[in-house]
Amino acid sequence: SSSSSPPPVPWEWDIARNRLRFQPGITGAIFGATRETMDECVERKLFGLPATRRRMVEAIDRKRGSTVLFLFNFSTRLLHGMWVPSGGAGFPIAPRAWVKGAWAGGKEVPAPAASGGKAKKGAHSPFPAQIPVERVGPKGLEPLTESAFGPAMNYIGGNKFQLTLDGEQTKKLVALLLGVERTHWDEDEDLGAEEEEEEEEEEEEEE
């Protein structure tokens, strides 16, 4: 519902230490779009994958609180960010999402009447493994070119890369989009780690 609080962002900027700190267990995933579907993904606040990717979307759903989502435009080869899941996955949530002609002017166009009582061919979403999303981070983030984000990817032949991201890959992409230098974040700066570090320092001082 619109009254619900926004989903948590799995990172924060530590002003005192001038560092980007990530939630433990942070992970990520990439969804795809084209020039034709990009606006619909953003305006609907909905990402989707083919039915064959259902398990991937279910895995994202299980880690909703620690997953960062990115949107790759296959037409421009640009990676856009950032989003987090805002609710549970559905298969589908919007049955006509990304059906040609079903979205215009920021809203869904009513389905044309089917003849003979049969469903019109192509009236079902080609990407039924869906999850609702909320954009997070500063407004107006510039997308990343492939020369910038490519080194963080696991390429699996040609220009294809894996859509699931581990913690290190996710941190790299978040930092790149935020424009944070690598020297201002690292593995040891996870949220919640500070207390342990301080205790260790105190013990060392006592010795």
Side-chain angles (χ1 to χ4, degrees):
S1 67
S2 58
S3 61
S4 62
S5 58
V9 179
W11 70 82
E12 70 176 27
W13 183 256
D14 185 335
I15 297 171
R17 303 175 82 188
N18 196 30
R19 297 189 84 75
L20 185 61
R21 302 176 70 205
F22 296 93
Q23 181 177 315
I26 191 170
T27 186
I30 296 172
F31 285 74
T34 63
R35 282 193 181 93
E36 289 71 37
T37 60
M38 185 83 192
D39 287 348
E40 184 175 350
C41 290
V42 175
E43 291 167 2
R44 269 192 197 268
K45 296 186 176 183
L46 189 73
F47 288 178
L49 288 169
T52 53
R53 292 281 189 171
R54 179 177 178 132
R55 282 188 176 181
M56 175 179 160
V57 175
E58 287 174 338
I60 292 167
D61 196 22
R62 287 194 296 272
K63 292 185 171 181
R64 263 186 280 171
S66 57
T67 301
V68 185
L69 304 177
F70 307 88
L71 191 58
F72 179 66
N73 188 326
F74 284 97
S75 305
T76 61
R77 306 292 297 180
L78 293 175
L79 188 72
H80 297 257
M82 293 168 285
W83 291 263
V84 293
S86 62
F91 306 93
I93 292 169
R96 296 183 68 239
W98 308 291
V99 169
K100 195 168 184 179
W103 188 262
K107 60 184 180 180
E108 192 166 296
V109 177
S115 58
K118 291 182 180 178
K120 191 175 172 76
K121 189 180 179 185
H124 299 291
S125 178
F127 308 109
Q130 302 171 358
I131 194 156
V133 299
E134 192 71 44
R135 201 157 197 168
V136 293
K139 288 186 178 178
L141 287 179
E142 289 293 320
L144 300 174
T145 62
E146 196 159 7
S147 61
F149 74 78
M153 297 293 100
N154 285 331
Y155 282 86
I156 48 177
N159 60 3
K160 289 185 177 180
F161 46 76
Q162 290 180 346
L163 300 180
T164 54
L165 305 166
D166 64 22
E168 184 70 12
Q169 289 174 296
T170 305
K171 291 175 182 181
K172 283 178 182 174
L173 294 182
V174 169
L176 282 168
L177 280 158
L178 293 175
V180 176
E181 293 292 331
R182 182 66 180 85
T183 51
H184 285 279
W185 65 272
D186 56 45
E187 284 295 324
D188 301 322
E189 294 298 330
D190 283 332
L191 294 175
E194 188 177 57
E195 291 78 10
E196 295 171 18
E197 286 177 14
E198 286 176 352
E199 284 173 14
E200 286 172 10
E201 284 170 9
E202 284 171 11
E203 286 172 12
E204 285 172 10
E205 283 171 10
E206 286 170 9
E207 289 171 8

